[in-house]
Amino acid sequence: MKKMNDEEIQNWLEENGHKSDGMPPVDTKAYHVLFDLLSREPAEGLPFDFSARVTRQVQAQSRQNSELRSYLISIAVVSVVMALIYGLFFLLKPQLGSGFLNIATDYKWVFFLGIFGFLTIQYLDQVLIKSTIFKRPEL
């Protein structure tokens, strides 16, 4: 017997009924049970605010993605600006370029902790504050 997809099996079962000419009886019974269950309407409908919940979740997820994208873009912009400043210092006055590099290496932990603190504050703001503001209490 050729391999059939679900749609062909359903059509074959609708045409042949409970006959199991080309299929094992166990498979036929399993498909009959499956198609019977799928043809019934659900006993309970969707909640009243289902579409509002889905819309809220989609908006929250898209907002989270756009915020993450904006944070990454802002970090990239700051990095490019710092590299341009260093490049200009190095081109115009090489001693200023090396002084800028010395300052950056001396205070590298301040820069790293500042960036880490900024990202931590933004993350906690999103998780603790915005999630409670936009979360609607269940009725």
Side-chain angles (χ1 to χ4, degrees):
M1 180 179 167
K2 75 171 190 150
K3 193 161 182 118
M4 295 189 285
N5 63 19
D6 289 336
E7 200 170 303
E8 292 171 341
I9 292 172
Q10 183 178 8
N11 290 336
W12 185 80
L13 286 174
E14 287 173 355
E15 291 172 5
N16 296 326
H18 289 283
K19 297 177 192 172
S20 59
D21 297 336
M23 293 178 67
V26 175
D27 289 345
T28 306
K29 185 177 180 181
Y31 275 109
H32 275 292
V33 170
L34 175 67
F35 292 133
D36 286 341
L37 289 174
L38 289 175
S39 66
R40 293 184 198 151
E41 290 290 324
E44 197 174 286
L46 293 174
F48 177 69
D49 62 341
F50 178 76
S51 63
R53 285 183 191 176
V54 171
T55 304
R56 237 181 294 128
Q57 286 180 352
V58 168
Q59 287 174 346
Q61 190 170 10
S62 67
R63 188 179 322 112
Q64 183 179 13
N65 290 339
S66 67
E67 286 178 356
L68 177 65
R69 190 177 308 121
S70 67
Y71 298 149
L72 292 176
I73 288 172
S74 64
I75 289 173
V77 166
V78 168
S79 300
V80 167
V81 167
M82 295 293 281
L84 286 174
I85 290 172
Y86 173 71
L88 286 174
F89 280 161
F90 194 73
L91 285 176
L92 297 176
K93 289 190 175 181
Q95 64 271 18
L96 281 179
S98 63
F100 182 75
L101 192 59
N102 288 338
I103 291 172
T105 55
D106 289 344
Y107 296 103
K108 64 183 170 196
W109 294 113
V110 173
F111 294 127
F112 288 136
L113 288 175
I115 292 171
F116 179 74
F118 173 74
L119 292 176
T120 303
I121 289 170
Q122 294 299 325
Y123 175 74
L124 291 176
D125 176 52
Q126 185 167 0
V127 170
L128 298 176
I129 296 172
K130 289 182 182 175
S131 66
T132 57
I133 289 173
F134 295 115
K135 188 176 184 179
R136 186 169 169 230
E138 298 293 325
L139 297 176

